[in-house]
Amino acid sequence: MTDLIDALAVPRADAGTGHVRVGDPVSRIDGRAKVTGQARYAAEVQVDDPASPLVYGVVVNSTIARGRITGFALDAALAVPGVLDILTHANKPKTRSAGLFYKDMTAPGGTPFKPLHDAQIAYSGQPVALVVAESFEAARHAASLVRVDYAMEPHDTRLLANLHRGRKPSRLKAGYAPPPAEKGDARAAFDAAPVKIEAEYHSGVEHHNPMELFASTVIRGADGHLTIYDKTQSSQNSRWYVSRVFGLSKDRVTVRNPYVGGAFGSGLRPQYQLPLAVMAALKLERSVRVVLTRQQMFSFGHRPETQQRIGLAAERDGTLRAIRHHAVAETSRFEDYVEVVVNWSGQLYRCDNIRLGYQVVPLDHYSPMDMRAPGAAHGVHALEVAMDELSYVLDMDPLALRLKNYAERNPMDDLPYSTKELRACYLQGAERFGWAARPLAPRSMKEGHEWVGWGMATGTWDAMQMFARASAVLHADGRLVVSSAATDIGTGTYTVMAQIAAAAMGLPMEQVSFQLGDSTLPVAPIQGGSSHVTTVGSAVEGVCEKLQRRLFGMARAMPGTALRKVAFEEMEFVDGTLRRAVDPSGAVRLVDVLAHARAARIEEKYLMLPHVFQQRKYQRATHSAVFCEVRVDELLGTVRVTRVVSAVAAGRIINAKTARSQVSGAVVWGISQALHEETLTDHRLGRFMNHNLSEYHVAVNADIHDIDVIFVQEDDRIVSRLGAKGVGEIGIVGVAAAVCNAIFHATGRRVRSLPMTPDKVMAP
Ligand code: MOS
């Protein structure tokens, strides 16, 4: 156990954190390792084997979007000193051929792309060769000399020209919720209502662009065992994928991801550097590292381009009569990537007539992929801009319109909410922002050369719980080690899980470690959907409860104990002791309990299964209200978001500091989505053009001003035993809509396409 902790460099809290409670703003215990560079990422792991030094692979990508490879010219590349091999579909080691084996745990329906499988080209940027050399530099130079001949076939990457080809997703993914059946008669209600708006909204392709590049370091042991450091949101998903693609038993492959430098959904599926690195390791019998370049980071999943149409109808007093929301999104030719874009429109406002539709259009791009709050980030955007548009037609305050239609039960199926403090989000957010002082009319605030506008929007995201296992070992010296194959993609998992365990056991943070990021640890789900706290956190609390009961039983067996007639429920675990809550004088130290039993360690394991039958009786979601101020340059059309207040209801907050970081980081990304981010395709080539960080703009420090996060009081024991609902993705939902609505309030100009670049803001 200790060895694994050292191998993974599991961070421990430094002195000074001491006793903690759930909710405390504990600083990241991995912070020091990260800022000092001691935290090693997938591309940085040291491989010290003088007999067989690490070799490096560099990927060559297709320059055509569709067709087939007719030949390679490899001589020049093979002549580069240090080059060991060039892997292509023609000479790669054996892999399984059935698509089934390439389905990772989050694969959408369809047949996954199989790297280096055959001569077919399915998208521009597809990996076609891996150059392996003794140095990275040699491999990179040689890769530039690889010539590939293609037979091109016509491709089509245009969503807007192909909306007529939209169809219902036919190959569904487990867990995906298609739009529910129509409620009432939305068309008739829409036609009959006195006030209505109808509009179309467009959002472009976005790429995740985590700071850490995708990388896999495959360390080949003398016995052929592969230990793989991979950039992934689940070590067990990558382990499963490698085992299946290469037909390797579980015992031959271990995947680790102790540190992940951001992922935002891009690591939910294994990316192609992983199987390519494994291929090279198997063929050359060497340890291999493959790191993608920033440009190659644009050669797999992305947030899909999406076109939406919304119709809203209301009475003159603002009472909603009809909601119609239809979305068409791109997918690839080989998989039906699906996400929940429109369902949110049946979950936020009381309304008797709701019709929701969702279609996909297969194009010659790689399959899109979940990206922070997939579906909601643009689906709720369209709804919340439409609500703002309706408020102006009604001559009604946009917040008042939302409160007027506040849903006390889930509109689509009339289920009660497990908890829903959205009203408190609206009121506390509005109060903090100073919303009451907002003039109703657009173009009524100006300072210098800038129009000033205030906008708001609602956000919502699922409150999910999956299943997980955890184990806990209490050592005789009082150290507690809790484990689960969870992931920390930068969200604070190490810290929060150690905090939950420390609080449960009454131990100081310095004595508690949480180990994650290794496929051999107890089963944990993929870190996605903002569900790690509700899932793994509950497993951690559960295993700690088992440990408590065990210690209680052991303490009762000690001579002279006063605990014989005491019930477990009367006990508390504080200050490294267990004691009766009403009588702290009889406290027994945990280390003494182990010492008396002559136990070097005690261990418990726990399987956390969600109470699905109970949970299904409720609509479970997190909510937010986002308020923002923009300043729009009257001559240049440039937009500055000068103030954001995000009020979030996400159940019990486990760590006030890491949770706040999640939301403020997500607000930054919301601003970036609103104003900057879009990957543009050159449709003649079928290729993403701005595949670098100089032309793919993300928000930088200069773009970000005041961000104020409020967590309203909420405690949800339906979603998780901790009372938590999960926080992360909720922070981005609604931000782009609030910015759009503020731009309208500032300028009187409605921009229905993301990102809202100056050309659109200034368009006549
Ligand atoms: Mo998130 S898009 O579920 O990593």
Side-chain angles (χ1 to χ4, degrees):
M1 197 60 88
T2 315
D3 289 341
L4 189 51
I5 287 193
D6 292 341
L8 293 176
V10 171
R12 294 202 188 98
D14 298 318
T17 314
H19 292 277
V20 293
R21 284 163 308 185
V22 165
D24 286 353
V26 178
S27 293
R28 273 165 199 277
I29 61 181
D30 49 339
R32 180 181 296 263
K34 283 184 169 171
V35 299
T36 56
Q38 285 168 319
R40 301 273 182 180
Y41 295 83
E44 298 178 325
V45 178
Q46 304 277 37
V47 183
D48 299 314
D49 182 357
S52 177
L54 182 68
V55 299
Y56 300 82
V58 169
V59 181
V60 179
N61 303 80
S62 165
T63 53
I64 67 162
R66 189 170 172 171
R68 51 185 291 117
I69 300 166
T70 54
F72 291 97
L74 303 177
D75 290 351
L78 285 167
V80 172
V83 169
L84 300 168
D85 200 352
I86 300 176
L87 275 69
T88 68
H89 69 272
N91 68 357
K92 65 152 174 46
K94 188 171 160 40
T95 45
R96 307 281 253 311
S97 54
L100 172 71
F101 292 114
Y102 292 76
K103 273 196 178 283
D104 66 277
M105 294 172 181
T106 58
T111 306
F113 167 67
K114 298 179 250 183
L116 299 196
H117 183 70
D118 57 23
Q120 294 298 326
I121 298 297
Y123 71 100
S124 176
Q126 173 179 325
V128 294
L130 181 76
V131 179
V132 187
E134 280 161 4
S135 72
F136 170 69
E137 290 76 10
R140 187 172 55 174
H141 175 54
S144 73
L145 302 177
V146 169
R147 276 259 327 274
V148 188
D149 295 318
Y150 301 99
M152 285 176 66
E153 291 165 21
H155 64 261
D156 199 341
T157 49
R158 300 163 306 156
L159 175 70
L160 297 182
N162 285 290
L163 293 174
H164 61 279
R165 287 209 284 121
R167 57 159 172 80
K168 272 193 188 171
S170 53
R171 305 167 290 192
L172 292 184
K173 162 175 160 179
Y176 163 75
E182 181 169 7
K183 177 185 180 188
D185 185 341
R187 176 184 294 265
F190 184 86
D191 290 344
V195 184
K196 57 195 98 178
I197 62 111
E198 208 167 9
E200 299 209 344
Y201 306 89
H202 178 259
S203 48
V205 170
E206 285 180 88
H207 277 84
H208 305 72
N209 275 307
M211 203 183 290
E212 182 199 13
L213 302 169
F214 269 80
S216 302
T217 301
V218 180
I219 305 172
R220 188 177 176 280
D223 56 354
H225 183 95
L226 303 180
T227 301
I228 306 171
Y229 285 82
D230 186 37
K231 180 192 175 79
T232 173
Q233 289 173 239
S234 165
S235 57
Q236 292 178 332
N237 190 27
S238 290
R239 203 284 302 157
W240 158 264
Y241 179 83
V242 168
S243 287
R244 305 232 317 158
V245 167
F246 294 94
L248 300 173
S249 78
K250 183 175 177 173
D251 307 331
R252 279 203 59 196
V253 184
T254 304
V255 175
R256 290 181 177 163
N257 61 340
Y259 294 101
V260 180
F264 314 111
S266 61
L268 289 172
R269 305 187 69 183
Q271 301 303 354
Y272 62 76
Q273 90 290 340
L274 173 65
L276 265 52
V278 173
M279 276 177 206
L282 292 175
K283 186 166 185 214
L284 301 176
E285 301 192 341
R286 297 288 294 267
S287 295
V288 181
R289 171 172 296 159
V290 179
V291 186
L292 299 189
T293 62
R294 181 57 63 182
Q295 289 197 344
Q296 288 168 335
M297 296 287 284
F298 291 77
S299 62
F300 48 84
H302 51 272
R303 198 193 289 286
E305 180 179 0
T306 305
Q307 177 76 10
Q308 303 177 65
R309 193 177 62 244
I310 294 201
L312 298 177
E315 299 295 332
R316 295 202 191 282
D317 69 355
T319 304
L320 275 174
R321 286 292 177 234
I323 299 173
R324 296 160 80 191
H325 187 174
H326 186 76
V328 186
E330 55 158 327
T331 186
S332 65
R333 303 257 185 204
F334 46 94
E335 288 171 319
D336 273 5
Y337 170 78
V338 289
E339 57 185 11
V340 172
V341 179
V342 296
N343 302 18
W344 318 100
S345 292
Q347 297 172 10
L348 277 176
Y349 302 111
R350 196 178 55 236
C351 186
D352 291 333
N353 304 286
I354 306 174
R355 185 183 170 87
L356 308 172
Y358 173 69
Q359 293 182 323
V360 291
V361 176
L363 298 174
D364 296 303
H365 270 315
Y366 188 79
S367 304
M369 197 172 177
D370 290 346
M371 178 163 151
R372 208 170 198 168
H378 42 290
V380 176
H381 168 77
L383 174 70
E384 286 301 293
V385 173
M387 284 293 283
D388 199 70
E389 301 201 38
L390 181 65
S391 76
Y392 285 96
V393 181
L394 290 162
D395 205 19
M396 195 171 172
D397 176 86
L399 175 56
L401 175 63
R402 283 154 174 97
L403 288 167
K404 173 95 191 164
N405 294 286
Y406 193 83
E408 300 291 355
R409 296 173 76 86
N410 192 46
M412 213 61 196
D413 52 19
D414 204 39
L415 286 179
Y417 296 99
S418 56
T419 51
K420 184 187 178 187
E421 291 298 332
L422 175 58
R423 194 189 304 276
C425 295
Y426 286 139
L427 300 180
Q428 290 178 33
E431 168 78 29
R432 181 77 61 89
F433 186 85
W435 185 259
R438 178 182 181 273
L440 215 50
R443 271 176 110 85
S444 39
M445 298 194 286
K446 195 168 184 202
E447 277 176 35
H449 57 96
E450 288 179 315
W451 293 103
V452 181
W454 292 356
M456 61 84 57
T458 312
T460 184
W461 182 247
D462 293 325
M464 289 181 249
Q465 191 184 42
M466 313 190 199
F467 81 92
R469 291 180 186 274
S471 72
V473 177
L474 182 63
H475 293 269
D477 62 3
R479 279 180 307 114
L480 174 67
V481 180
V482 184
S483 310
S484 183
T487 302
D488 190 336
I489 52 174
T491 46
T493 313
Y494 278 119
T495 311
V496 169
M497 298 304 159
Q499 182 177 358
I500 291 168
M505 298 307 298
L507 292 169
M509 280 293 279
E510 305 84 78
Q511 276 173 240
V512 181
S513 331
F514 180 73
Q515 56 177 12
L516 53 74
D518 185 297
S519 61
T520 62
L521 294 172
V523 175
I526 291 170
Q527 182 168 41
S530 304
S531 65
H532 239 32
V533 161
T534 59
T535 305
V536 181
S538 295
V540 167
E541 201 187 50
V543 78
C544 286
E545 189 190 320
K546 278 184 82 176
L547 208 52
Q548 289 177 341
R549 289 182 185 273
R550 171 99 165 264
L551 286 159
F552 176 59
M554 291 165 73
R556 288 170 103 187
M558 290 167 75
T561 179
L563 298 175
R564 288 241 161 77
K565 295 205 173 111
V566 177
F568 174 74
E569 287 66 33
E570 294 174 62
M571 302 300 295
E572 62 178 14
F573 287 72
V574 284
D575 295 338
T577 70
L578 74 169
R579 65 191 196 192
R580 274 185 87 187
V582 294
D583 178 20
S585 69
V588 186
R589 300 197 319 152
L590 303 188
V591 288
D592 292 341
V593 176
L594 266 74
H596 178 261
R598 298 182 193 283
R601 60 206 285 273
I602 56 171
E603 175 166 11
E604 288 292 346
K605 295 179 192 302
Y606 181 74
L607 166 63
M608 197 291 295
L609 291 170
H611 301 289
V612 282
F613 294 109
Q614 172 78 350
Q615 289 178 340
R616 273 189 206 144
K617 295 180 196 155
Y618 299 90
Q619 171 69 18
R620 288 154 286 129
T622 52
H623 297 94
S624 70
V626 186
F627 298 83
C628 88
E629 173 182 277
V630 301
R631 287 163 192 264
V632 184
D633 189 292
E634 64 174 332
L635 296 175
L636 302 175
T638 47
V639 178
R640 295 191 298 141
V641 179
T642 42
R643 216 151 55 84
V644 177
V645 173
S646 175
V648 174
R652 189 156 161 249
I653 299 302
I654 306 300
N655 180 321
K657 192 173 192 173
T658 53
R660 185 172 302 273
S661 295
Q662 281 295 297
V663 175
S664 51
V667 169
V668 169
W669 205 351
I671 293 170
S672 205
Q673 178 195 22
L675 301 178
H676 305 295
E677 295 196 34
E678 182 173 22
T679 323
L680 294 157
T681 301
D682 182 332
H683 294 296
R684 293 164 306 173
L685 299 169
R687 186 189 306 168
F688 292 126
M689 295 186 288
N690 51 333
H691 51 169
N692 54 67
L693 287 178
S694 63
E695 291 161 299
Y696 181 93
H697 289 178
V698 298
V700 296
N701 281 350
D703 296 309
I704 301 304
H705 302 272
D706 238 31
I707 298 175
D708 199 349
V709 179
I710 299 169
F711 288 113
V712 309
Q713 200 69 34
E714 196 172 64
D715 192 339
D716 194 319
R717 305 286 164 164
I718 309 261
V719 172
S720 73
R721 60 178 286 160
L722 288 161
K725 285 167 131 179
V727 45
E729 288 164 301
I730 182 61
I732 190 174
V733 186
V735 175
V739 173
C740 174
N741 298 342
I743 291 173
F744 181 81
H745 188 238
T747 63
R749 200 177 299 280
R750 183 62 70 180
V751 185
R752 297 190 184 87
S753 160
L754 291 178
M756 296 176 284
T757 44
D759 53 311
K760 296 177 190 168
V761 174
M762 294 298 275

